[in-house]
Amino acid sequence: MIALLSFISSAFISSVVAAPSADYVSHRQSTVWLAGDSTMAEGGTGNGTQGWGHYLQYSLSIPVINNAIAGTSARSFTTGGHFANITSRLLPGDIVIIEFGHNDGGSLGPNITDNGRSDCPGEGDQTCTSFYNGSVVTVHTFNYYLLAAAHSYIAKGADVIISSQTPTNPFEFGNFSYGPSRFTPYAADVAGNLSSKMSEYVDHGAYEADYFRRLGPVTVDEFFFLDHTHTSPEGADAASMAFVKGVKCNWRGILSEFVVNKTKEIEGSCLD
């Protein structure tokens, strides 16, 4: 992992942007930037769904810019230049929230059609060779892509929150059941390999599942009216509040000082 971190730090941070004046930085508001998939994105996946990122703005006293894009994974957000786009616009003191996982699964191989989203298995510097869009491509791991992005943001003076993916409907089969995907510990590992002074991990999936458990099956089933992954606007609002709960329970609380309105006091206990 040390070699991976060293390589990422030198390879990903390649653009040079003129630094803003110290006076400007000290007086400007921090901005929150969101990087994720449809469960976070404005408008969700369409068809009446909504991403939780839409509601975060109502819980914070600072601006939120939602750059999440439906259908993306850590890999495609990288290859599509979306992580880099955020890097180019960051200023010191900004905060970036990164949350992926729903589209990162799948398989890669010589007899498998590459969808451009699946990551190479593993959580280190493993690579896979794949054939995509008529070309042979090297595919990296979920951890690689998130670490690369996070290091580029920290290098610009931003704080980074690595968030675990939202849960699917925990009442889908009747009784409550929540089990994190393999990308949840991957996300935690990414956060653990970043500077503790500039980053933190929020287990959004666990906090949202806990909140949904307390709301009960009737309410939660209504949230997931389309499928077991995407929620109604009401469900997205609940997901956003669960994220803020996780932020306020975090020992660092990068966003805690900016939390306003009813989300300052959200029911439920802090999770271990």
Side-chain angles (χ1 to χ4, degrees):
M1 181 60 75
I2 293 176
L4 172 62
L5 294 176
S6 177
F7 176 77
I8 289 173
S9 297
S10 60
F12 194 84
I13 308 165
S14 58
S15 60
V16 177
V17 179
S21 69
D23 182 67
Y24 173 74
V25 170
S26 66
H27 288 87
R28 66 176 290 273
Q29 272 190 313
S30 296
T31 297
V32 176
W33 301 80
L34 306 184
D37 55 34
S38 58
T39 58
M40 178 193 274
E42 191 68 36
T45 190
N47 300 307
T49 63
Q50 183 58 279
W52 69 266
H54 171 79
Y55 293 97
L56 187 60
Q57 61 185 310
Y58 304 115
S59 294
L60 302 176
S61 61
I62 54 177
V64 177
I65 299 178
N66 193 345
N67 281 90
I69 301 174
T72 56
S73 66
R75 171 188 169 189
S76 64
F77 211 82
T78 300
T79 58
H82 308 301
F83 277 132
N85 178 53
I86 295 174
T87 304
S88 69
R89 300 163 66 189
L90 284 178
L91 289 173
D94 284 350
I95 301 163
V96 187
I97 302 169
I98 304 175
E99 182 181 294
F100 287 94
H102 285 293
N103 300 312
D104 289 85
S107 301
L108 298 168
N111 298 316
I112 298 173
T113 300
D114 187 349
N115 61 14
R117 303 186 302 183
S118 298
D119 307 320
C120 187
E123 55 184 296
D125 57 1
Q126 299 93 333
T127 60
C128 299
T129 300
S130 186
F131 192 75
Y132 179 66
N133 272 355
S135 301
V136 176
V137 295
T138 298
V139 181
H140 297 276
T141 64
F142 177 86
N143 298 50
Y144 175 95
Y145 293 122
L146 262 61
L147 279 169
H151 278 299
S152 73
Y153 299 155
I154 291 172
K156 292 291 292 285
D159 288 321
V160 176
I161 297 176
I162 302 295
S163 177
S164 65
Q165 70 183 77
T166 58
T168 55
N169 184 355
F171 291 106
E172 183 177 10
F173 302 107
N175 294 325
F176 176 85
S177 177
Y178 170 66
S181 81
R182 64 186 170 98
F183 296 104
T184 294
Y186 287 178
D189 180 75
V190 169
N193 280 284
L194 296 172
S195 166
S196 61
K197 295 181 179 180
M198 302 287 287
S199 66
E200 68 180 23
Y201 173 66
V202 173
D203 195 351
H204 188 190
Y207 276 97
E208 185 173 331
D210 182 64
Y211 189 25
F212 284 179
R213 177 186 59 80
R214 287 181 282 110
L215 289 175
V218 175
T219 298
V220 173
D221 282 342
E222 290 178 353
F223 289 165
F224 292 93
F225 70 96
L226 182 68
D227 55 37
H228 71 178
T229 302
H230 305 94
T231 65
S232 65
E234 294 79 8
D237 189 20
S240 180
M241 287 191 287
F243 175 81
V244 175
K245 179 69 175 181
V247 165
K248 291 184 67 65
C249 286
N250 195 286
W251 69 273
R252 274 211 64 209
I254 288 174
L255 280 174
S256 291
E257 65 180 292
F258 305 114
V259 175
V260 295
N261 301 329
K262 64 181 181 180
T263 43
K264 293 181 72 173
E265 296 296 335
I266 302 174
E267 293 182 7
S269 302
C270 293
L271 306 178
D272 293 334

